């Protein structure tokens, strides 16, 4: 039994033998790495070597409006043929190596144009793969995270779409030495279906290529990974547009408040103005300091103007009311005896009086009324209240308080109740039709 087990183990060992033990150092001899100068490109001195590229985007990690950049993690693969790496094989199978062999052979010197930071992942080892085929074709793959610049236009923010590009180019070899191209056209770019961003909707990825010229060195092949992002508007509706609209509507409440209620109307106006200032400051704090006007700036500043105008509207109402009362007081002083009765007591009113005003009129007699033909531009009101009927008169005045408050409204307030909402609705119609 023991001899049978030994024969079985010997058979398994022979079937799955480790070639690294029987062919020590054979890999470099098989690829003839030491027999060639790999500091020079394949077919050096001849035509440009074609290098195909394909990319698989693993994730879009972040989009920064303040820094105007994006961070992307991707698998970058290069395909080329180097006959110096060809080797004989009866099975025509490729050999796969990690990053340790990359340092001994020639690989394309592709870099990311306009990149700010980039690195090859090295956990747990360098994420590099090299696959060599018997005829000398090479597949070189890396897992890279790159942060690159993206020129963004915020003129329509937050109703905007942004197009960013990741650009690949050879650093040393011009188009006469190395020809970069997308290996399978638009099919060379693959994306993970799970890619998503909190603020953006990824509309499409596509590839392009063109020549880039440098005055000192010449023409280079440049490959572009283009992707278009459309911003989600719902977040800004909740955080910016709705609060701004509510503040504007809140400022209109002052048009229905008694014009003599100075503390109520002033405090309401100041509160809405300060709140609008806070909203504007919060939005601009998370944005780059661009020199042009954004769409959100137009909406917020127009809303701020509406709130500010409502404060100015009450200032105008209060001023005109003061001027009117001053004219009435001068009129009373100018015509002290218009009643025609020497012992009568008269008071000029504009149709608006409070309970305290009525209390001050105690002692007037009903017979001390002025004839119709002697009335001036303002009504001369004679209120008679005897000591016995004071209580009944007070109850009658209390019943008319609500009516008097409604009547105590300036003409500017009446027009503002229609003009302000109508103008703001018209502005919203134009704004959303233009920017949406």
């Amino acid at each position: 039994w023991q001899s049978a087990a030994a024969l079985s183990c010997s058979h398994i060992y022979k079937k799955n033998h480790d070639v690294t033990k029987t062919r020590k150092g054979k890999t470099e001899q098989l690829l003839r790495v030491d027999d060639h100068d790999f500091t020079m490109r394949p077919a050096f001195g001849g035509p440009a070597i074609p290098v195909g590229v394909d990319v698989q985007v693993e994730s879009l990690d972040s989009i920064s409006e303040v820094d105007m950049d994006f961070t992307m993690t991707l698998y970058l693969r290069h395909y080329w043929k180097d006959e110096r790496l060809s080797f004989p094989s009866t099975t025509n199978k490729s050999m796969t190596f990690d990053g340790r062999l990359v340092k001994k052979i020639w690989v394309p010197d592709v870099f990311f144009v306009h990149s700010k930071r980039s690195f090859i992942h090295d956990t747990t080892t360098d994420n590099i793969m090299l696959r060599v085929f018997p005829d000398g074709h090479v597949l070189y793959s890396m897992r890279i995270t790159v942060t690159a610049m993206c020129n963004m236009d915020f003129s329509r923010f937050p109703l905007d779409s942004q197009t960013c590009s990741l650009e690949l180019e050879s650093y040393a070899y011009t188009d006469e030495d190395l020809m970069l191209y997308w290996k399978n056209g638009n099919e060379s770019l693959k994306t993970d279906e799970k890619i998503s961003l909190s603020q953006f909707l990824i509309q499409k990825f596509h590839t392009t290529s063109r020549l880039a010229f440098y005055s000192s060195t010449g023409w280079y092949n440049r490959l572009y990974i283009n992707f278009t992002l459309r911003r989600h508007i719902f977040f800004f509706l909740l955080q910016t547009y709705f609060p701004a609209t509510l503040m504007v509507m809140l400022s209109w409440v002052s048009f229905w408040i008694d014009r003599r209620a100075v503390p109520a109307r002033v405090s309401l106006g100041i509160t809405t103005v300060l709140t609008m200032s806070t909203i504007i400051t919060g939005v601009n704090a998370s944005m780059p300091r661009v020199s042009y006007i954004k769409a959100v700036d137009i909406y917020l500043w127009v809303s701020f103007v509406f709130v500010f105008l409502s404060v100015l509207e009450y200032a105008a109402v209060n001023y005109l009311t003061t001027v009117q009362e001053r004219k009435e007081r001068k009129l009373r002083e100018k015509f002290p005896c218009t009643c025609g009765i020497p012992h009568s007591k008269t008071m000029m009113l504009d149709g608006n009086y409070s309970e305290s005003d009525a209390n001050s009129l105690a002692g007037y007699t009903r017979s001390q009324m002025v004839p119709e033909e002697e009335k001036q531009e303002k009504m001369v009101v004679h209120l008679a209240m005897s000591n016995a009927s004071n209580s009944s008169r007070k109850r009658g005045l209390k019943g008319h308080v609500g009516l008097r408050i409604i009547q105590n409204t300036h003409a500017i307030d009446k027009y503002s109740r229609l003009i302000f909402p109508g103008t703001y609705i018209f502005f919203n119609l134009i704004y959303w039709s233009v920017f949406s």
Side-chain angles (χ1 to χ4, degrees):
W1 177 83
Q2 291 180 350
S3 60
L7 289 174
S8 176
C9 292
S10 176
H11 175 71
I12 293 175
Y13 175 77
K14 290 180 179 179
K15 183 177 181 180
N16 300 307
H17 63 280
D18 189 351
V19 296
T20 60
K21 294 181 178 180
T22 59
R23 296 182 181 181
K24 185 177 181 181
K26 200 66 175 179
T27 300
E28 294 184 0
Q29 296 179 10
L30 184 64
L31 296 179
R32 303 192 303 277
V33 173
D34 296 331
D35 297 343
H36 303 281
D37 185 4
F38 283 97
T39 59
M40 294 185 293
R41 68 173 179 85
F44 185 80
I49 175 175
V51 177
V53 176
D54 70 35
V55 171
Q56 181 173 345
V57 179
E58 181 181 1
S59 65
L60 266 175
D61 301 322
S62 64
I63 306 290
S64 175
E65 291 90 353
V66 176
D67 299 327
M68 286 195 181
D69 60 25
F70 65 93
T71 301
M72 177 186 292
T73 300
L74 52 88
Y75 296 95
L76 177 62
R77 305 184 184 98
H78 305 81
Y79 303 84
W80 73 95
K81 184 177 182 181
D82 190 346
E83 294 183 353
R84 295 173 296 183
L85 296 177
S86 60
F87 59 91
S89 175
T90 57
T91 59
N92 200 29
K93 291 183 178 180
S94 62
M95 292 192 299
T96 302
F97 307 94
D98 58 17
R100 285 169 286 193
L101 184 62
V102 173
K103 300 177 182 179
K104 299 180 180 180
I105 65 172
W106 181 89
V107 294
D109 60 338
V110 174
F111 78 106
F112 297 101
V113 185
H114 305 310
S115 67
K116 297 181 178 181
R117 297 174 298 276
S118 60
F119 62 91
I120 298 175
H121 290 258
D122 56 1
T123 306
T124 57
T125 59
D126 292 340
N127 295 174
I128 296 176
M129 183 198 72
L130 188 70
R131 183 171 294 169
V132 182
F133 294 85
D135 59 353
H137 280 89
V138 181
L139 165 60
Y140 175 44
S141 177
M142 297 174 289
R143 182 169 176 257
I144 303 174
T145 294
V146 55
T147 300
M149 182 178 64
C150 178
N151 293 322
M152 301 181 184
D153 181 13
F154 297 107
S155 58
R156 298 177 65 89
F157 176 87
L159 305 168
D160 59 332
S161 296
Q162 303 294 342
T163 299
C164 299
S165 298
L166 184 63
E167 307 171 14
L168 294 85
E169 183 181 303
S170 172
Y171 192 84
Y173 296 101
T174 65
D175 61 337
E176 297 179 354
D177 291 318
L178 189 147
M179 183 181 68
L180 277 180
Y181 68 97
W182 290 111
K183 188 174 185 297
N184 298 312
N186 285 331
E187 299 297 325
S188 301
L189 180 61
K190 303 293 184 180
T191 59
D192 194 329
E193 296 180 354
K194 298 180 180 179
I195 295 179
S196 63
L197 294 171
S198 59
Q199 288 193 27
F200 292 92
L201 172 65
I202 303 175
Q203 292 186 317
K204 66 176 181 178
F205 278 88
H206 66 280
T207 61
T208 55
S209 61
R210 66 187 66 174
L211 290 175
F213 177 73
Y214 297 90
S215 58
S216 300
T217 53
W219 293 88
Y220 294 81
N221 294 111
R222 182 177 294 181
L223 306 181
Y224 295 81
I225 302 173
N226 305 307
F227 55 96
T228 303
L229 305 172
R230 183 170 183 82
R231 196 182 306 273
H232 293 300
I233 186 61
F234 189 71
F235 171 81
F236 296 94
L237 288 177
L238 292 178
Q239 299 296 324
T240 304
Y241 286 97
F242 285 166
T245 303
L246 290 177
M247 286 301 105
V248 175
M249 296 174 65
L250 183 60
S251 67
W252 300 339
V253 175
S254 65
F255 303 151
W256 275 266
I257 299 178
D258 187 356
R259 58 177 172 170
R260 300 184 188 277
V262 178
R265 295 190 66 164
V266 170
S267 61
L268 182 61
I270 296 300
T271 301
T272 52
V273 167
L274 293 178
T275 304
M276 283 301 305
S277 300
T278 303
I279 294 175
I280 294 174
T281 303
V283 171
N284 291 327
S286 60
M287 295 297 299
R289 298 176 181 177
V290 295
S291 58
Y292 49 85
I293 298 177
K294 304 182 291 293
V296 69
D297 292 335
I298 296 175
Y299 193 90
L300 291 179
W301 279 105
V302 170
S303 301
F304 182 84
V305 169
F306 271 88
V307 172
F308 186 72
L309 288 178
S310 67
V311 178
L312 295 183
E313 186 270 349
Y314 177 63
V317 169
N318 187 271
Y319 174 76
L320 294 177
T321 301
T322 304
V323 171
Q324 182 179 359
E325 291 177 350
R326 187 181 300 115
K327 289 180 179 180
E328 293 173 358
R329 187 164 54 251
K330 290 181 179 179
L331 187 61
R332 288 197 301 271
E333 294 173 356
K334 186 176 181 180
F335 302 99
C337 297
T338 55
C339 59
I341 300 176
H343 298 290
S344 65
K345 299 178 181 179
T346 63
M347 182 176 183
M348 299 293 294
L349 296 177
D350 61 352
N352 306 308
Y353 56 88
S354 63
E355 185 177 350
S356 60
D357 297 329
N359 292 335
S360 66
L361 298 177
Y364 286 81
T365 62
R366 187 178 299 273
S367 60
Q368 296 172 344
M369 299 298 293
V370 180
E372 286 293 328
E373 61 271 16
E374 295 180 6
K375 290 184 178 179
Q376 303 296 326
E377 294 178 359
K378 295 296 180 179
M379 189 194 321
V380 181
V381 180
H382 301 261
L383 298 178
M385 288 188 179
S386 61
N387 293 333
S389 61
N390 278 343
S391 59
S392 62
R393 286 293 180 182
K394 291 179 181 179
R395 288 194 300 269
L397 287 174
K398 289 180 180 179
H400 293 282
V401 168
L403 180 61
R404 294 301 182 185
I405 291 176
I406 295 176
Q407 293 178 350
N408 191 15
T409 302
H410 199 279
I412 296 179
D413 282 340
K414 294 180 181 179
Y415 289 122
S416 297
R417 294 172 186 175
L418 298 176
I419 294 175
F420 274 71
T423 307
Y424 193 69
I425 291 173
F426 180 71
F427 160 72
N428 273 271
L429 292 175
I430 295 178
Y431 180 88
W432 292 108
S433 62
V434 170
F435 289 103
S436 61

